[in-house]
Amino acid sequence: MLPKILVVDDDRYTRTLIEQMLGNSAQVHLASDGDAARELFAVHDFNLVLMDQRLPRHQGLDLLREFRAQRPRMVAILMTGFADVRDAVAAVREGLFDYLTKPFEDLEALEAVIGKALEIDAAYREIDSLRSRLAKTSGAPMVVGQSAAMARLLGQIQQVAGLDTTVLLEGESGTGKDVMAKLIHAHSQRADQAFLEVNCGGLPESLLESLLFGYEKGAFTGAAQASAGYFEKANGGNLFLDEIADMSPKLQSSLLRVLQDHSFCRIGSTQPRSTDFRLICATNRSLAGEVKAGRFREDLYYRINVVAMQLPPLREREGDIFRLAVHFLEFFNAKFGKQCGPFSPAALASLEAHPWPGNVRELRHCIERVVALQSGGVIDAVHLCPSCSPFAVSDTHALIPPAYELAYQEARAGFEQGYLKGLLAAASGNVSEAARLSGIPRQNLYVRMKRWGIVTET
């Protein structure tokens, strides 16, 4: 379904220009004044509203405040002339996605801003849809992402979740292997049985052994009473062994016997106990490499490497970073009772430019920190963790000075220079990569950088 866009402007040329520019990529509804805009807004669920600041009998910003009161998640862009930049800055501070100055100098840049705004709206709607489906699927975790890499992974999970076979999840730390294990469990034939998980790298060998096998009373000092282990408790369900590469050679051998015989003995007992669990393993290392290095048993590797899945790092999940950021923003707003956000375009550019070595876990902690430290309002690039933002604080602050003494041209020039320098740095000096990160066509971006002496040659 094509997105619905409301364009409100008393200038017929502007309305026609935007309508023709979007062509068949959107359903464009036009209004020449505030009254007509109200009528359309009451009937349609718009994905984006482009509102002129100066309208007959109305101020665009006042109308947007009215609309946002009805639909707080509404994504909107204010269109303004040079003289109205203070209103535009105020609009961004109040949570509008962005503002555009007329006359439009760069139609490709205008189209890119509209495209990014529609992506933000799509992220909100995707999260709502996921939550709705989650409410109908008891125990299933919420998985946010529409990138090609995630689509492939989820397709694999859909294929094997219902099959009673061992699954090996491999991927960098923070990619969400535990979430995928829970997703497999939720859609497995054992979903109504136990799901138990243990981090093999976080426990000493003796403690991990007693946790898995259980023990009899008096089996060791402190064993005041008998206790069932995970092999026993997981009978009929799924057992998730995270960071299995950290398991000691002794326990690797013991696990192999359990998988082969479907039985085990508690520590301190010689009485075999039968068990039937589905094993899901995960590691942030290459098990094949660990086998070659002699740190992991080859026979156990072949026993657990039945269906192997590679979880993509966040840097390879194109388009998912801002979706996850929006999801975490809403989650921590609810958790902390705050109303932070939305993200400014500069903040989104910073988030998408960061390499995220800690993957989804790092992004989650970054957004948690932002919400915890902010009292509310728009989240700009300067509010992000220092490591998450490629922009210098002094440069990004030029976007919205504390006072409005600067002339519009000077403020705009200050922001553009700071933004372009930070963007080029985030792209390691590659103009093509900077164009991809910003959504600005490469030739237009190059011209802007050359204007400020940031680049001197192609």
Side-chain angles (χ1 to χ4, degrees):
M1 182 181 297
L2 295 177
K4 291 184 178 181
I5 299 177
L6 174 61
V7 180
V8 187
D9 199 309
D10 61 339
D11 179 32
R12 181 178 179 182
Y13 171 77
T14 300
R15 298 195 306 270
T16 304
L17 175 68
I18 296 176
E19 183 180 31
Q20 291 179 346
M21 181 189 70
L22 295 175
N24 297 322
S25 63
Q27 299 179 41
V28 181
H29 297 256
L30 306 176
S32 59
D33 57 43
D35 293 332
R38 283 195 184 103
E39 291 179 5
L40 289 169
F41 192 80
V43 175
H44 299 281
D45 180 17
F46 288 108
N47 301 91
L48 173 64
V49 176
L50 288 97
M51 179 80 69
D52 187 36
Q53 168 60 1
R54 294 192 177 185
L55 295 168
R57 303 181 303 280
H58 293 95
Q59 292 291 306
L61 186 53
D62 292 337
L63 273 174
L64 288 176
R65 291 190 184 112
E66 178 184 322
F67 290 173
R68 283 176 65 84
Q70 300 173 45
R71 300 176 196 169
R73 283 181 170 179
M74 179 190 72
V75 180
I77 296 173
L78 187 71
M79 299 181 293
T80 177
F82 291 146
D84 300 317
V85 67
R86 294 186 180 182
D87 294 328
V89 170
V92 172
R93 283 188 174 276
E94 290 187 19
L96 269 67
F97 176 72
D98 206 348
Y99 68 89
L100 300 169
T101 54
K102 297 190 299 181
F104 303 125
E105 299 176 356
D106 188 339
L107 294 184
E108 289 183 334
L110 169 63
E111 193 170 5
V113 171
I114 291 174
K116 185 55 111 177
L118 289 174
E119 288 181 4
I120 294 298
D121 174 80
Y124 280 126
R125 294 172 188 269
E126 177 189 346
I127 290 168
D128 284 342
S129 176
L130 286 170
R131 285 178 178 151
S132 177
R133 294 203 302 269
L134 189 62
K136 302 175 183 177
T137 309
S138 178
M142 186 168 176
V143 179
V144 177
Q146 290 188 344
S147 62
M150 282 301 293
R152 286 191 295 270
L153 175 63
L154 294 175
Q156 289 179 315
I157 289 177
Q158 185 177 18
Q159 283 184 305
V160 305
L163 306 177
D164 216 21
T165 186
T166 302
V167 176
L168 173 62
L169 303 171
E170 296 183 293
E172 298 176 8
S173 294
T175 49
K177 296 183 287 292
D178 57 333
V179 174
M180 294 305 150
K182 292 172 184 174
L183 187 65
I184 292 171
H185 169 72
H187 294 282
S188 72
Q189 297 176 1
R190 301 169 179 257
D192 58 346
Q193 301 297 316
F195 174 80
L196 299 176
E197 59 180 311
V198 60
N199 188 329
C200 300
L203 299 171
E205 179 186 282
S206 59
L207 184 55
L208 179 58
E209 182 181 27
S210 63
L211 184 65
L212 292 175
F213 287 85
Y215 50 86
E216 297 292 349
K217 179 179 179 180
F220 49 82
T221 303
Q225 59 184 13
S227 176
Y230 277 24
F231 290 153
E232 191 171 344
K233 293 177 180 178
N235 185 41
N238 289 286
L239 176 62
F240 175 46
L241 298 182
D242 197 6
E243 304 305 347
I244 194 171
D246 292 330
M247 184 177 280
S248 70
K250 174 189 173 184
L251 285 182
Q252 290 179 34
S253 177
S254 300
L255 174 62
L256 180 61
R257 286 196 298 272
V258 173
L259 296 177
Q260 290 173 340
D261 301 338
H262 299 284
S263 67
F264 66 98
C265 295
R266 288 183 178 179
I267 299 173
S269 172
T270 58
Q271 179 65 41
R273 295 172 181 267
S274 297
T275 186
D276 173 31
F277 58 82
R278 190 243 193 106
L279 182 65
I280 305 172
C281 302
T283 175
N284 62 6
R285 290 183 249 165
S286 167
L287 280 191
E290 293 297 298
V291 170
K292 289 182 179 179
R295 292 187 291 267
F296 199 83
R297 290 182 63 106
E298 186 174 16
D299 47 4
L300 178 58
Y301 171 65
Y302 290 124
R303 181 63 183 78
I304 66 175
N305 187 30
V306 180
V307 176
M309 299 182 187
Q310 191 70 35
L311 272 67
L314 190 52
R315 61 184 174 275
E316 294 179 5
R317 295 174 55 179
E318 185 175 359
D320 284 349
I321 291 175
F322 75 87
R323 290 186 177 93
L324 286 162
V326 168
H327 165 59
F328 292 138
L329 176 61
E330 292 208 330
F331 176 82
F332 288 113
N333 269 335
K335 181 178 180 180
F336 300 146
K338 293 191 176 184
Q339 292 183 337
C340 296
F343 295 103
S344 72
L348 290 173
S350 296
L351 291 171
E352 293 186 325
H354 187 57
W356 300 108
N359 293 295
V360 179
R361 183 185 297 121
E362 181 188 0
L363 176 59
R364 176 189 172 98
H365 291 166
C366 173
I367 304 305
E368 181 179 9
R369 174 186 179 276
V370 170
V371 177
L373 296 180
Q374 292 295 114
S375 58
V378 176
I379 297 174
D380 203 355
V382 293
H383 302 135
L384 302 175
C385 314
S387 63
C388 300
S389 176
F391 308 118
V393 171
S394 59
D395 287 338
T396 52
H397 257 339
L399 171 62
I400 304 175
Y404 302 117
E405 300 90 353
L406 292 179
Y408 169 71
Q409 290 83 354
E410 184 179 349
R412 181 180 181 183
F415 164 68
E416 186 168 302
Q417 290 181 69
Y419 176 83
L420 294 177
K421 287 178 182 177
L423 183 64
L424 193 63
S428 301
N430 187 311
V431 177
S432 296
E433 176 64 10
R436 187 190 69 79
L437 292 173
S438 64
I440 301 173
R442 185 190 182 284
Q443 190 58 37
N444 294 346
L445 186 65
Y446 175 77
V447 170
R448 295 181 186 187
M449 289 182 170
K450 190 174 181 180
R451 179 193 305 161
W452 300 115
I454 297 172
V455 295
T456 56
E457 59 182 22
T458 55

